[in-house]
Amino acid sequence: MNHFLDIHTTDAKDLRSIIDTAQAMKTARNGRPKGTKDDDQPLAGRMVALIFEKPSTRTRISFDVGVRQMGGETMVLSGADMQLGHGETIADTARVLSRYVDLIMIRTFEEATLLEMAEYADVPVINGLTNRTHPCQIMADVMTFEEHRGPIADKKVVWSGDGNNVFASFAHAAGQFGFDLTFTGPETLDPEPAWFEYCAGKGRPITVQRDPVKAVTDADLVVTDTWVSMHDPQSARERRHNQLRPYQVNEALMKHAKDDALFMHCLPAHRDDEATSAVMDGPHSVIFDEAENRLHAQKAVMRYCLGV
Ligand code: CP
Ligand code: NVA
């Protein structure tokens, strides 16, 4: 049994195998209707709990559809409706759920909740986003890059904006898949020091460049995310917007990237804040391929977790 808690805590060989499996499963479906099952049914007879303590469109639907395509069944649960949201401990919840289901995916606030769930569950636990990381998203992003441009190793990836949870998983992927990561954003919203140390230790130190034009120059991939994450206080909204406005990804900025550079955003986006609609709907953008690949990448993650 394997948990999938983060990219930096998963073996690099397993990460590569997950991406390859995801691509093979996507190809095998060859555009067939979404509601049809895969030829292989590795999750037949399996029950998957999908727990959400925060809103979700992509994670919720892609996990649910992915389980069904592989022959399993799902229970989509809101943390607030469970006793978990009313004082039952995470450890007890994990032990009880393990008696009913074969796999748990949880989207939560504190990373400690995810780790405690994994510690006490007898079944695999998947990180569907915490305040600190979002590994499933970046597995889909690596898959999407490679689908369009081949191996991501040694490519220049530039993150413009908030050094948040999605950035953190990009930093982990830089270390594990071996690409160069540049961060451009205000110092007040720098990523955690731990991620700088992690990447430096992997021989892929993160470059910090406060000037977005210099940062994006010759990029193979430009990425951004919302300026205010779900766990950020709404009271910080105006301050964050003021700090991050110079880091908006717009057509003028994208001109400095390579001609064939890709643009990614995990979505949901606040159009014309962190990225303009001209970029999101423009020739560099692969945002909807990214969203689709959540489905394929997570199907491969679930197979890895269950060893099927
Ligand atoms: N990108 C992502 O995780 O989207 P949702 O919040 O809609 O799940
Ligand atoms: N950084 C965002 C990602 C949403 C998918 C958040 O945590 O709200």
Side-chain angles (χ1 to χ4, degrees):
M1 151 180 133
N2 296 306
H3 297 303
F4 186 73
L5 301 180
D6 269 313
I7 288 178
H8 64 312
T9 54
T10 302
D11 191 274
K13 281 201 295 295
D14 292 331
L15 295 171
R16 172 49 60 196
S17 162
I18 290 168
I19 300 279
D20 292 347
T21 301
Q23 191 58 61
M25 290 176 78
K26 180 176 182 178
T27 305
R29 279 192 70 82
N30 196 21
R32 62 207 277 183
K34 283 102 186 162
T36 57
K37 292 192 185 299
D38 292 345
D39 291 335
D40 288 339
Q41 295 286 278
L43 263 62
R46 310 276 185 146
M47 179 61 77
V48 180
L50 305 173
I51 305 173
F52 290 91
E53 297 193 305
K54 287 174 175 168
S56 170
T57 296
R58 279 142 290 269
T59 306
R60 176 184 167 141
I61 297 169
S62 56
F63 265 105
D64 199 345
V65 170
V67 172
R68 293 175 200 220
Q69 288 183 351
M70 294 194 292
E73 294 194 52
T74 59
M75 308 178 77
V76 183
L77 305 160
S78 148
D81 292 341
M82 296 169 70
Q83 299 292 8
L84 181 63
H86 301 274
E88 187 166 20
T89 67
I90 299 153
D92 286 349
T93 304
R95 287 183 282 216
V96 169
L97 284 178
S98 300
R99 302 291 178 104
Y100 301 136
V101 304
D102 300 288
L103 180 61
I104 300 167
M105 191 288 310
I106 181 165
R107 165 169 288 193
T108 187
F109 288 85
E110 299 304 327
E111 182 179 62
T113 304
L114 170 80
L115 298 180
E116 198 173 337
M117 186 71 81
E119 183 179 348
Y120 289 96
D122 297 324
V123 298
V125 174
I126 296 174
N127 177 358
L129 178 145
T130 70
N131 295 358
R132 208 166 177 221
T133 61
H134 195 7
C136 289
Q137 179 67 53
I138 278 51
M139 293 301 282
D141 292 359
V142 169
M143 176 182 173
T144 306
F145 184 90
E146 297 200 333
E147 201 170 47
H148 284 271
R149 295 283 181 265
I152 197 166
D154 298 326
K155 298 293 185 194
K156 178 176 177 180
V157 177
V158 179
W159 178 279
S160 186
D162 180 19
N164 66 11
N165 48 358
V166 179
F167 174 86
S169 290
F170 255 107
H172 300 156
Q176 296 283 51
F177 291 95
F179 56 83
D180 293 324
L181 183 59
T182 296
F183 171 79
T184 185
E187 200 172 342
T188 45
L189 297 172
D190 268 351
E192 279 189 46
W195 310 146
F196 286 99
E197 285 159 28
Y198 170 76
C199 286
K202 296 291 270 186
R204 293 275 171 183
I206 299 169
T207 302
V208 177
Q209 171 53 261
R210 302 286 171 209
D211 178 342
V213 168
K214 285 186 186 155
V216 160
T217 298
D218 291 331
D220 295 288
L221 169 62
V222 179
V223 195
T224 191
D225 186 16
T226 181
W227 287 344
V228 186
S229 283
M230 290 182 274
H231 60 275
D232 289 322
Q234 279 303 313
S235 56
R237 192 175 175 281
E238 192 179 335
R239 178 168 43 81
R240 281 173 161 268
H241 275 236
N242 289 335
Q243 290 172 327
L244 286 161
R245 204 160 284 121
Y247 297 95
Q248 181 193 65
V249 181
N250 49 40
E251 285 176 301
L253 187 62
M254 283 303 293
K255 280 198 170 55
H256 298 277
K258 283 189 179 158
D259 289 345
D260 68 346
L262 298 179
F263 168 74
M264 290 191 191
H265 187 311
C266 66
L267 305 177
H270 298 80
R271 281 175 175 260
D272 301 315
D273 284 345
E274 68 268 18
T276 58
S277 283
V279 169
M280 292 182 65
D281 301 326
H284 300 285
S285 177
V286 288
I287 57 175
F288 298 114
D289 291 340
E290 259 186 287
E292 177 184 339
N293 285 338
R294 293 293 302 279
L295 169 67
H296 307 295
Q298 289 158 191
K299 285 168 73 176
V301 166
M302 289 188 275
R303 293 187 73 159
Y304 159 75
C305 288
L306 290 167
V308 293

